[in-house]
Amino acid sequence: MANKTESAGTDRGLAVLRARDLELRDAIDAVVLSWAAEAGAARTAYPPLLRTSDLAALDYWVNFPHLALLAVGADAGREKELAAADHSVIAPELLAPAEYALPSAACYSAYLDLSGTRLDGAHKITTVATCFRRENHFEGLRRLLSFTMREVVCVGNREAVLEHASSFKKRVGEFARRLGLPLEVQAATDPFFEKDAARTLMQQLFPVKEEFVFGGGLAIASVNFHRNFFGERCDIRLADGSPAFTSCVAFGLERWLAALTERFGRDDPALPERIAEAARWT
């Protein structure tokens, strides 16, 4: 029987990471941070919650309601009922209206934070967030209710954001090749959207989305080009007054951890150094 204190564990989409897991996750995050620094991306930390009204401006409630998780407090005046309620599932009538949501991607905050700005040139940001997705099932570290997402975002003209996406795509591919982690680049089947929805806005949001897939089905990173969707919705404009374009590169760090341990095992003491060595050549 595995020692509970030595290995990662998950329960209904919630993971506990031990020291070794954190060592490997931090090693991957350090690689991405080094790439972000070389690209000139500013490290930025955003609030852990998003306003539901801000997400509405991004059509989130049209395109992503199935993923959403809300942060709410107790209904004022019903605290005693809440205290006496069945706490396995708390009835919604005991809760206050929701004004905040938990993020399902790290980059939304970057676009919202830039709302109303005018850019003289390309602006790059890197941020990390605990993200939440109400998936239809969970599977170890491969599919979690809450997970860590590192993103590197570029906001600027079309050429700049396409170059950003292209350069990171090459870097991720070369890094994985040198590390010996087999990845396939696949056009996204896009788990963000309902498959049966006639959501033409999907193409507005993610007209170009490619994923780096391990083992035939585990997407551990993605490269996304959103055209000028976020520039229009958030009123982020270039010097000539036109809406800015955006692209982002996203890394699901627990999914990287799952891929690394499946490929190399969890206890290889040389693995963090192999990760760092592979990154030196990218």
Side-chain angles (χ1 to χ4, degrees):
M1 182 176 177
N3 187 332
K4 188 174 181 179
T5 63
E6 295 180 353
S7 60
T10 62
D11 179 19
R12 292 179 291 178
L14 302 175
V16 175
L17 303 184
R18 311 294 178 187
R20 176 59 174 172
D21 310 302
L22 293 173
E23 182 182 19
L24 295 177
R25 191 185 70 173
D26 291 348
I28 291 297
D29 194 33
V31 169
V32 182
L33 268 175
S34 71
W35 294 341
E38 290 178 21
R43 294 182 67 178
T44 308
Y46 299 103
L49 298 175
L50 294 164
R51 294 182 181 86
T52 54
S53 56
D54 286 341
L55 288 173
L58 306 181
D59 292 335
Y60 187 86
W61 304 109
V62 176
N63 292 297
F64 307 115
H66 53 297
L67 294 181
L69 286 168
L70 301 169
V72 299
D75 189 309
R78 302 191 69 174
E79 289 89 348
K80 290 184 179 179
E81 293 176 71
L82 177 61
D86 175 4
H87 298 127
S88 59
V89 178
I90 295 176
E93 58 266 24
L94 299 177
L95 302 175
E99 298 180 71
Y100 297 96
L102 301 167
S104 60
C107 63
Y108 293 134
S109 293
Y111 310 129
L112 292 167
D113 182 56
L114 288 171
S115 293
T117 60
R118 300 294 182 269
L119 303 177
D120 292 331
H123 185 62
K124 297 182 181 179
I125 303 152
T126 184
T127 190
V128 66
T130 301
C131 294
F132 301 81
R133 292 182 185 174
R134 191 164 62 95
E135 304 274 11
N136 56 18
H137 72 282
F138 302 109
E139 180 186 359
L141 295 177
R142 299 170 67 98
R143 189 173 292 274
L144 290 165
L145 176 64
S146 70
F147 56 95
T148 312
M149 181 182 292
R150 163 71 65 186
E151 294 209 46
V152 188
V153 174
C154 180
V155 184
N157 62 33
R158 181 184 178 91
E159 292 73 22
V161 302
L162 285 174
E163 195 284 328
H164 175 75
S166 175
S167 65
F168 267 85
K169 179 181 175 182
K170 292 176 183 174
R171 270 192 150 161
V172 175
E174 180 62 14
F175 170 68
R177 187 186 71 78
R178 290 184 176 276
L179 184 59
L181 186 68
L183 299 179
E184 296 179 23
V185 178
Q186 298 181 0
T189 54
D190 220 328
F192 295 103
F193 296 89
E194 295 172 306
K195 291 185 173 66
D196 60 347
R199 311 280 195 203
T200 54
L201 286 175
M202 180 174 73
Q203 293 304 311
Q204 289 179 282
L205 276 167
F206 293 101
V208 176
K209 180 182 179 72
E210 292 180 301
E211 294 178 334
F212 290 87
V213 177
F214 171 77
L218 179 62
I220 61 176
S222 66
V223 178
N224 308 275
F225 171 52
H226 321 105
R227 296 183 180 172
N228 57 5
F229 177 84
F230 290 111
E232 288 181 340
R233 294 306 176 95
C234 297
D235 191 27
I236 310 168
R237 297 193 175 273
L238 303 174
D240 64 4
S242 62
F245 288 74
T246 63
S247 66
C248 69
V249 189
F251 300 82
L253 298 184
E254 281 80 7
R255 288 190 171 192
W256 275 87
L257 178 57
L260 288 171
T261 53
E262 287 180 35
R263 174 65 172 170
F264 303 109
R266 184 173 176 274
D267 298 321
D268 179 356
L271 186 52
E273 178 54 32
R274 289 176 61 185
I275 293 170
E277 181 63 21
R280 290 190 186 100
W281 299 96
T282 59

